[in-house]
């Protein structure tokens, strides 16, 4: 039997949403301890998690892993506020809802920035980044989303990182959706910061963001931060000195996070997790196409995190009825945050197997039948 299937609690609906995700019983059980913040067991849990994340990025020695209490957005805000100095300028690329959120953060915290947008269903090119940088000599940092969760598109990080490296710009990557299932190698990408959160591909409870930050860039960023709680330089120096958070650590979440990392390791690390997500995604996309649905993205640019489908044109269709029908059959699909009109999304992350996706496809066919929808997505 599939490892992940054997540890799930079966009586709750399965989350086919891109965060929070369904967790294993083992990760949830890891929270059943009350540890004081100064306890060696807590310090060791944090230290081990920091080392594991650095290992995933091949970043030992050059980088540091910094946990923060908050959702993924706290992590992106902390990175923008900490890394871009008042006399610097951030170039933000967006092709979806999460790229737009980076722009919104920069605007709200008054970080000097400029941004450019590309279509939600085609990846940006390194030439577009090069042109945007050439157009504004004040740019010091470049930020983009790796997997743009509002469509599932995978933005090509390697060639864009090569441009940043050649032109001497700091690279900040929102890898909240992709971290854990894709390799982001610090040696080849030479990023200043990668943001991830607990509750997506790392399959831990929501409430923690983690940043893998280049030590030299972080040292230069001392004193930049717009906020006390989101000051990554300060959080990092305190962790290095004391092994603990500056303020109350999310002790239960940190215990579950470390357990989720052990699970990640046992599944075969990034390769193992990517392979399972990819099997689920393949089954989903093939099964949906067999029913007549069309995907928003070409397979070549899609990631196995989440798939976006055009809604049926049939007048019997409504998203609300689809959502309710799926929920009654034990599956939660995602109701919002879309980059393209008249689409819906189904995610493949969390403790979900190809067999679960097979059952979700049956549930979807039944629900469509209930609505009287025929000829899905054609026309
Ligand atoms: C989920 C996500 C975020 C952060 O969202 P939160 O709701 O704050 O956890 C940021 N970027 C991407 C690409 C995401 O998928």
């Amino acid at each position: 039997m599939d490892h992940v299937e054997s540890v799930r609690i079966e009586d709750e609906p399965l989350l086919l949403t891109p965060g929070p995700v369904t967790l294993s019983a083992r990760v949830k059980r890891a929270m059943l301890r009350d540890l004081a913040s100064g306890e060696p067991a807590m310090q060791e849990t944090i230290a081990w998690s920091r080392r594991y994340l650095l290992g995933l990025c091949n970043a030992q020695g050059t980088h540091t892993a910094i946990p923060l209490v908050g959702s993924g957005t706290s992590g992106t805000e902390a990175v923008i506020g900490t890394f871009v100095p008042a006399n610097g300028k951030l170039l933000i690329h967006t092709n979806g809802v999460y790229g737009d959120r980076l722009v919104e953060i920069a605007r709200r915290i008054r970080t000097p920035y400029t941004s450019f947008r590309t279509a939600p269903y085609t990846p940006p090119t390194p030439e577009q980044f090069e042109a945007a940088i050439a157009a504004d000599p004040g740019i010091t940092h470049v930020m983009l989303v790796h997997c743009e969760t509002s469509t599932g598109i995978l933005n090509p990080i390697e060639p864009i990182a090569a441009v940043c490296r050649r032109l001497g710009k700091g690279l900040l990557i929102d890898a909240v959706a992709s971290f854990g299932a894709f390799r982001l190698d610090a040696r080849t990408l030479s990023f200043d910061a990668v943001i991830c959160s607990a509750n997506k591909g790392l399959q831990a409870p929501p409430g923690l963001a983690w940043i893998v930050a280049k030590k030299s860039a972080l040292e230069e960023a001392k004193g930049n931060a717009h906020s006390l709680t989101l000051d990554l330089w300060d959080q990092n120096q305190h962790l290095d000195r004391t092994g603990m958070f500056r303020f109350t650590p999310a002790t239960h979440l940190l215990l579950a996070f470390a357990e989720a990392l052990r699970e990640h390791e046992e599944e075969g690390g990034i390769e193992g997790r990517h392979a399972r997500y990819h099997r689920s995604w393949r089954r989903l996309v093939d099964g949906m196409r067999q029913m007549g649905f069309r995907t928003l993205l070409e397979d070549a640019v899609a990631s196995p995190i989440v798939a976006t489908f055009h809604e049926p044109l049939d007048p019997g269709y409504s998203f609300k009825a689809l959502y309710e029908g799926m929920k009654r059959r034990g599956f939660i699909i995602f109701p919002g945050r879309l980059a393209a009109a008249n689409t819906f999304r189904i995610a493949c992350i969390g403790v979900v197997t190809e067999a679960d996706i097979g059952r979700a496809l049956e549930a979807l066919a039944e629900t469509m039948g209930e609505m009287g929808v025929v000829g899905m997505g054609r026309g």
Side-chain angles (χ1 to χ4, degrees):
M1 197 200 245
D2 209 323
H3 157 73
V4 291
E5 229 171 2
S6 64
V7 289
R8 211 178 79 215
I9 294 173
E10 294 286 351
D11 56 358
E12 294 176 39
L14 195 64
L15 304 180
L16 300 180
T17 61
V21 299
T22 294
L23 307 178
S24 71
R26 169 182 162 185
V27 165
K28 285 179 272 208
R29 268 199 302 270
M31 287 187 273
L32 301 177
R33 288 176 79 186
D34 302 306
L35 283 181
S37 53
E39 278 298 299
M42 195 70 253
Q43 291 176 326
E44 183 39 45
T45 298
I46 295 169
W48 185 83
S49 298
R50 294 180 84 192
R51 285 197 301 275
Y52 186 82
L53 293 182
L54 290 177
L56 288 186
C57 295
N58 194 18
Q60 301 95 330
T62 53
H63 289 65
T64 176
I66 314 165
L68 273 186
V69 173
S71 79
T73 305
S74 309
T76 53
E77 183 172 333
V79 162
I80 293 173
T82 301
F83 281 88
V84 186
N87 62 357
K89 191 167 189 180
L90 180 62
L91 171 67
I92 303 169
H93 164 262
T94 173
N95 54 353
V97 170
Y98 291 94
D100 289 350
R101 190 176 294 172
L102 302 178
V103 175
E104 170 71 2
I105 292 168
R107 193 181 66 75
R108 286 288 292 272
I109 69 173
R110 299 191 173 86
T111 297
Y113 78 94
T114 178
S115 63
F116 76 105
R117 173 180 297 278
T118 58
Y121 34 78
T122 44
T125 65
E127 291 75 23
Q128 287 169 323
F129 280 80
E130 200 159 351
I133 293 168
D136 190 340
I139 291 167
T140 52
H141 294 77
V142 172
M143 190 166 197
L144 75 156
V145 175
H146 186 211
C147 168
E148 173 51 72
T149 322
S150 55
T151 57
I153 199 167
L154 195 66
N155 290 324
I157 209 74
E158 282 84 5
I160 294 164
V163 169
C164 293
R165 195 169 192 166
R166 181 156 46 81
L167 301 177
K169 309 299 173 190
L171 175 62
L172 314 174
I173 305 169
D174 174 351
V176 171
S178 51
F179 200 93
F182 285 86
R183 193 161 293 284
L184 288 156
D185 191 299
R187 301 266 187 279
T188 51
L189 299 177
S190 191
F191 53 77
D192 277 7
V194 158
I195 303 118
C196 76
S197 91
N199 65 289
K200 300 207 180 178
L202 294 174
Q203 299 182 183
L208 289 174
W210 283 82
I211 291 88
V212 177
K214 193 190 277 173
K215 286 185 193 171
S216 57
L218 191 63
E219 220 27 67
E220 274 175 46
K222 179 179 179 181
N224 281 348
H226 66 298
S227 150
L228 175 68
T229 56
L230 300 180
D231 185 342
L232 292 173
W233 181 87
D234 201 27
Q235 177 79 338
N236 185 66
Q237 66 81 22
H238 194 88
L239 274 160
D240 283 352
R241 258 188 322 107
T242 67
M244 274 319 300
F245 282 46
R246 289 170 298 164
F247 315 117
T248 304
T251 47
H252 302 77
L253 298 184
L254 287 160
L255 288 166
F257 186 78
E259 193 63 29
L261 294 185
R262 278 180 216 109
E263 233 176 38
H264 184 266
E265 190 173 37
E266 286 167 23
E267 194 176 356
I270 291 169
E271 284 69 31
R273 187 137 303 173
H274 185 277
R276 174 165 57 86
Y277 289 175
H278 191 269
R279 284 195 300 275
S280 296
W281 172 84
R282 189 73 265 165
R283 176 79 181 267
L284 175 67
V285 167
D286 289 350
M288 292 293 281
R289 284 185 181 143
Q290 266 161 29
M291 282 190 251
F293 284 96
R294 289 181 300 122
T295 55
L296 177 73
L297 301 177
E298 306 270 351
D299 288 0
V301 302
S303 66
I305 304 297
V306 58
T308 306
F309 301 97
H310 290 285
E311 292 186 315
L313 298 172
D314 194 294
Y317 171 85
S318 84
F319 180 78
K320 192 170 182 299
L322 174 62
Y323 181 89
E324 293 299 334
M326 290 297 283
K327 185 173 172 183
R328 263 186 282 115
R329 291 171 174 84
F331 300 96
I332 303 286
I333 61 173
F334 201 54
R337 303 223 176 82
L338 292 163
N342 305 317
T343 58
F344 68 93
R345 287 178 303 157
I346 299 178
C348 302
I349 61 177
V351 180
V352 173
T353 63
E354 195 184 343
D356 294 320
I357 295 291
R359 285 188 282 277
L361 287 166
E362 284 166 25
L364 194 126
E366 279 176 31
T367 306
M368 289 292 170
E370 219 167 58
M371 286 189 264
V373 173
V374 286
M376 263 92 49
R378 293 199 189 93

